[in-house]
Amino acid sequence: MDTVATLTAVRSRQGELTCRPARQNSAHQAEASPVEWSHPVSAFPIVTTFTFTPDLVLQSYRACHRRLYRNRVALVITCVTVGLAEVAISLAGVLRLLWPGVVLALYGIAFFAWREHSVRKQLAPYRQGARQVTITLTETEYRTQGPDRATARTWTTFSSVSRVGDFWVLRVSPQMAMGLPASALDEQQTVAFTTLIKEKGLAPVS
């Protein structure tokens, strides 16, 4: 009867236990193949370089502070709407005073403009022209390298990572976050990145 390939334990002279293939019938020798070992290849580090334009800097800030920006927009819409409604009522003769509605509408517009000016002034050093930024993602760190500074943060620094519009927002605290343009990662890099943040417990619970 033909025998099949097996592994036979052999005691070497030094007393170590080794394994070698047992002899097999010649009918099976042609079919025998060497054992292949597969080793998983890590997708990290991921290195990507992109250009941060002045507009992209502003969009990144708005993505990182989406709630505050929406609150400002809601406030100006409310003030202008209510103010214009009061003006219309005053012109219809229901209310005698016209100026309160005008003041309220102008206040909403002025407040929004003032806050936008403050944000743009704060971001002015990063909006003086196109800036090339290199992002390096490893299994332990998130690194950035720009023309004037470099940063490195371990993943334990971040409290969450979420997709907001065209950006990945890596949040450090309610007041501080970092924006990564989603277009900076290709499809394979995005899959590896999202898998990593899930393993780190940073992805939002769906």
Side-chain angles (χ1 to χ4, degrees):
M1 180 182 294
D2 294 339
T3 59
V4 295
T6 60
L7 288 177
T8 303
V10 178
R11 183 73 61 177
S12 65
R13 293 182 180 178
Q14 291 77 16
E16 296 178 353
L17 188 64
T18 60
C19 291
R20 71 183 182 189
R23 293 181 180 179
Q24 51 185 341
N25 197 303
S26 59
H28 294 278
Q29 289 180 355
E31 299 177 3
S33 59
V35 177
E36 295 182 359
W37 301 93
S38 60
H39 300 279
V41 179
S42 174
F44 296 92
I46 294 175
V47 181
T48 179
T49 300
F50 59 94
T51 301
F52 242 139
T53 63
D55 287 341
L56 198 61
V57 171
L58 188 59
Q59 293 171 22
S60 174
Y61 178 88
R62 289 174 177 173
C64 292
H65 302 84
R66 175 64 63 90
R67 180 175 298 179
L68 293 176
Y69 182 73
R70 285 182 172 178
N71 289 343
R72 289 201 299 270
V73 172
L75 177 63
V76 67
I77 291 176
T78 301
C79 290
V80 172
T81 301
V82 175
L84 292 180
E86 289 186 2
V87 170
I89 294 174
S90 299
L91 293 176
V94 178
L95 297 176
R96 293 183 178 181
L97 298 178
L98 182 64
W99 64 265
V102 175
V103 170
L104 183 60
L106 292 178
Y107 168 79
I109 296 174
F111 176 79
F112 183 82
W114 172 69
R115 287 300 303 154
E116 279 294 291
H117 174 73
S118 299
V119 169
R120 291 171 185 267
K121 185 177 180 179
Q122 177 184 348
L123 298 176
Y126 308 101
R127 303 185 71 245
Q128 295 178 354
R131 305 167 66 250
Q132 210 172 47
V133 178
T134 299
I135 302 293
T136 303
L137 309 176
T138 72
E139 294 182 350
T140 57
E141 289 184 325
Y142 177 87
R143 306 173 192 161
T144 66
Q145 176 68 59
D148 52 357
R149 63 179 300 188
T151 63
R153 293 180 179 274
T154 61
W155 291 111
T156 55
T157 305
F158 302 102
S159 60
S160 65
V161 179
S162 59
R163 179 72 179 266
V164 180
D166 296 329
F167 292 86
W168 288 103
V169 174
L170 295 84
R171 187 156 300 283
V172 178
S173 68
Q175 294 78 28
M176 183 178 180
M178 305 175 72
L180 171 64
S183 59
L185 303 177
D186 61 27
E187 185 176 352
Q188 291 183 346
Q189 291 173 336
T190 299
V191 171
F193 174 62
T194 54
T195 301
L196 176 66
I197 62 176
K198 288 178 181 178
E199 292 176 351
K200 300 294 183 182
L202 298 173
V205 179
S206 57

